[in-house]
Structures are given as C-alpha cells and as structure tokens.
Amino acid sequence: MCRASVPSRTASVILRPAAGAGRACGGGTGCGELGRVSLQDRHMSVFRLPIRLIRERFGGDNFDDAGDWVDGWLRDRGERGYRIEYSFDADHANPWFHAMLMRIEGLPDAVGEALRRRLAEEGLGDRVE
C-alpha cells in the first residue's frame, strides 16, 4: 500500500479572482469573492484523476502540474474565476484506485464535459464516449 506517498489533506485554491472581488459589499448575494450562497446552491463539477495516470504523465508526485494543466486548459478557453479544490482519495487498499479529486465550482456543464473529454485524450482520465 502506498498511502504514505499520497497527501491526505484537502487544498482549496482560488486560481483567479472572481469578477468584482475586493469591492465593498452590501451583504447580498454576490457579496465578496464567493458570495453568500449556500453549499447546496453551488454547482460543483468533480473530476477524478487516477494518481497512476498523473505519475505517468507528469512524473513522481507532481500533482500540482496536473492542476496547472487543468487551469491552463480553462484559461486557454477564456474560462475564468472558478474556485478549484483538490483532495485525494486513497482509501482503497489497491493503489491502482487512488485518485486526485478536483472540484470546480460553477463550471458550466458544457465546459465540464469538454474538459472530461480532453482529460481522457491527454491520458489523465477515463475514456468518455
């Protein structure tokens, strides 16, 4: 089992400031960077990248390179202002099933599906039909 080589913490990173971030807020929805929206109201797209595929593509434990690749893909398409959270699923006894989970807040479904297809093409995700 290779649990020791897989970080077990969750990182929450905002890669780009949201529109209007830093402005004074009157307390309504849209307040500040994330607004006052309940967790149930926020749409989260989840992408599961097998750790074995990240290691094959980027070498070693270069999980940040996988995150940078996704960020670059989104930027190249003019997609900005998403909150991206990373965590690791290493609960399974077989390391083959360990994965980095990327949760992207507010990603439109069409962009999410395009990203899923591109991850598969790049060898970082499961094949999408």
Side-chain angles (χ1 to χ4, degrees):
M1 195 159 20
C2 70
R3 283 182 199 222
S5 67
V6 178
S8 61
R9 60 186 157 76
T10 298
S12 180
V13 179
I14 298 175
L15 298 173
R16 294 168 298 279
R23 286 190 279 169
C25 176
T29 300
C31 176
E33 201 159 2
L34 294 178
R36 293 185 181 182
V37 180
S38 71
L39 286 174
Q40 294 87 356
D41 294 339
R42 286 189 266 179
H43 175 71
M44 296 292 277
S45 298
V46 180
F47 300 87
R48 185 177 178 84
L49 286 69
I51 289 174
R52 61 187 159 73
L53 298 179
I54 293 172
R55 288 179 172 151
E56 287 174 16
R57 172 74 193 279
F58 299 106
D61 290 336
N62 291 321
F63 305 114
D64 57 335
D65 289 344
D68 290 345
W69 184 91
V70 169
D71 180 51
W73 186 90
L74 290 168
R75 285 179 188 235
D76 288 349
R77 276 135 199 86
E79 299 293 330
R80 305 239 186 264
Y82 298 112
R83 178 182 175 93
I84 301 177
E85 297 176 354
Y86 303 89
S87 62
F88 295 88
D89 177 2
D91 290 337
H92 199 282
N94 185 340
W96 179 266
F97 298 105
H98 295 179
M100 180 172 89
L101 304 176
M102 297 180 75
R103 292 174 182 86
I104 306 176
E105 183 181 325
L107 192 67
D109 290 340
V111 176
E113 287 308 310
L115 176 56
R116 232 175 267 293
R117 284 191 302 274
R118 189 66 185 141
L119 285 167
E121 291 169 5
E122 290 290 321
L124 291 171
D126 295 325
R127 213 171 134 222
V128 178
E129 299 294 326

